[in-house]
Amino acid sequence: MNSNFFDKIGKIGNLDVYSNENKQLTILAWVNIAKYSNLDVTFMANKFEESLIYKGIPALFEEVELSGMRERKVPVQDRLKVYYFSEERFSRTYRNANPEALPKVSAWINANLTEYFYTTNSDSKGILNGQYIDPVSRGMNTYQDYTKCVWLASMKPSPVETKQLELMFNLTREEVVQAREHENLYQFINRSKLRAYDSEQVVEVYVFDKEQALSLSTNIELIDVGLDSTQEVFVPLNLSGTKKQRLKRVTKEKYPSIEEFEKWLGKSTNADLTEREREHFRNKYNKL
């Protein structure tokens, strides 16, 4: 369906806000691993008990102990120095409300870092001068000589998906963020020199927000590039009584084509309309 199906009523920063008059259908699909319970399968993963596979049906799993596993000379947390740029959670909503934030961070990184690998969401790929790799990067060994890496990605669930997972699997938003974003972040930094188990060398990690930084270490430090919150409080579009009546008089019979409607919209009688109100008038006309 096109955007005209929805009733846009305002903005928060650059983010369009729609009324609840029309609702969008969202579909969730998942693999039912219970049907494989008769097979002898061993899962091995970092923090497996925090994974969504485990949390979906904990009773399906039995813990086993393995011997002979490799051990690090120095724990991962003691080999990390983590920097962050924002106190606020990095998400699509944040990006839409603060369009200048990511360019500020990328400008600082490009001016101050060399010889690093990085990742971002797909629509920001190429904003940094380092070596790009995908956010989901398990098993890669190519970058194990790097001692700097940058994570500017968000993998948080949308509000709709959050509610679906809560209703269907009793999963909280925090659990989904941990399993999806924080675990992928942990795997991402382990593409670096951290792969050398006998090394004591410290690896510098640069992430966008404080929550991401704390998921890795308590040894964190803020880099202030002026990301004071610019998120705007949503202000509903409240038309005056005369403008509401004017809008009610707009019909397809009166203005059968968009050209005629635009001609009317450009008349002096509509000079008092703001750009936001004009867009609202156009949306209503397109739905007639």
Side-chain angles (χ1 to χ4, degrees):
M1 61 188 73
N2 60 41
S3 61
N4 291 334
F5 174 82
F6 301 101
D7 182 23
K8 186 161 69 175
I9 58 175
K11 281 181 174 290
I12 300 179
N14 290 337
L15 180 67
D16 294 328
V17 178
Y18 297 86
S19 76
N20 292 322
E21 180 181 352
N22 298 308
K23 299 184 182 298
Q24 187 174 9
L25 175 66
T26 302
I27 299 173
L28 175 68
W30 72 96
V31 175
N32 179 18
I33 64 171
K35 65 183 180 180
Y36 303 110
S37 60
N38 63 321
L39 301 178
D40 184 11
V41 179
T42 301
F43 287 84
M44 290 187 291
N46 178 60
K47 297 183 179 179
F48 178 70
E49 291 182 353
E50 294 183 13
S51 69
L52 299 187
I53 290 178
Y54 176 83
K55 286 185 173 294
I57 319 178
L60 196 63
F61 299 93
E62 177 185 351
E63 184 179 1
V64 296
E65 293 186 5
L66 298 176
S67 60
M69 304 295 288
R70 293 177 64 193
E71 294 185 4
R72 293 179 178 275
K73 184 176 181 179
V74 178
V76 169
Q77 179 158 327
D78 295 338
R79 292 183 57 194
L80 292 177
K81 176 58 182 178
V82 184
Y83 299 89
Y84 69 99
F85 298 89
S86 173
E87 299 286 341
E88 298 186 50
R89 280 182 168 181
F90 188 49
S91 64
R92 182 167 293 278
T93 300
Y94 175 89
R95 289 178 59 190
N96 287 331
N98 301 273
E100 79 296 336
L102 199 56
K104 283 184 178 180
V105 171
S106 61
W108 187 94
I109 292 171
N110 284 332
N112 292 278
L113 296 187
T114 58
E115 298 183 7
Y116 61 92
F117 63 89
Y118 78 95
T119 197
T120 64
N121 293 103
S122 58
D123 58 353
S124 302
K125 183 177 178 179
I127 62 172
L128 298 180
N129 297 330
Q131 177 64 50
Y132 176 86
I133 68 174
D134 289 332
V136 180
S137 54
R138 293 173 183 266
M140 296 177 62
N141 293 315
T142 311
Y143 306 99
Q144 58 185 314
D145 291 330
Y146 282 76
T147 58
K148 298 187 188 75
C149 56
V150 180
W151 173 282
L152 299 183
S154 171
M155 306 178 80
K156 298 176 178 69
S158 70
V160 172
E161 184 184 11
T162 298
K163 195 62 180 178
Q164 284 180 313
L165 293 171
E166 176 189 336
L167 293 174
M168 300 176 72
F169 301 106
N170 295 316
L171 295 169
T172 65
R173 182 185 186 279
E174 289 69 27
E175 289 173 332
V176 178
V177 171
Q178 168 59 40
R180 182 180 297 173
E181 179 173 288
H182 294 168
E183 181 58 25
N184 276 310
L185 169 56
Y186 179 80
Q187 295 297 329
F188 171 81
I189 68 169
N190 274 282
R191 302 312 100 207
S192 70
K193 190 71 174 181
L194 293 175
R195 296 190 73 71
Y197 275 43
D198 295 332
S199 174
E200 299 181 24
Q201 188 165 4
V202 172
V203 172
E204 294 180 14
V205 180
Y206 298 81
V207 299
F208 194 92
D209 68 47
K210 186 175 183 178
E211 183 183 76
Q212 293 170 339
L214 287 173
S215 76
L216 298 174
S217 174
T218 55
N219 184 22
I220 66 174
E221 182 178 332
L222 172 68
I223 297 175
D224 187 1
V225 293
L227 297 189
D228 294 331
S229 176
T230 58
Q231 289 193 356
E232 301 172 23
V233 176
F234 171 63
V235 180
L237 179 62
N238 293 317
L239 294 175
S240 65
T242 57
K243 290 178 181 179
K244 286 180 180 178
Q245 290 302 316
R246 200 183 313 168
L247 183 57
K248 286 181 179 179
R249 291 194 292 269
V250 174
T251 64
K252 285 286 187 179
E253 290 75 21
K254 198 169 185 179
Y255 308 105
S257 69
I258 186 66
E259 290 77 17
E260 291 174 282
F261 171 75
E262 287 290 342
K263 184 177 180 181
W264 169 79
L265 198 59
K267 288 187 175 181
S268 58
T269 53
N270 291 316
D272 59 338
L273 295 177
T274 66
E275 284 304 313
R276 184 177 171 191
E277 289 169 341
R278 288 176 186 277
E279 188 174 2
H280 183 66
F281 272 47
R282 291 188 182 97
N283 287 336
K284 287 295 184 181
Y285 175 81
N286 288 328
K287 291 181 181 180
L288 294 176

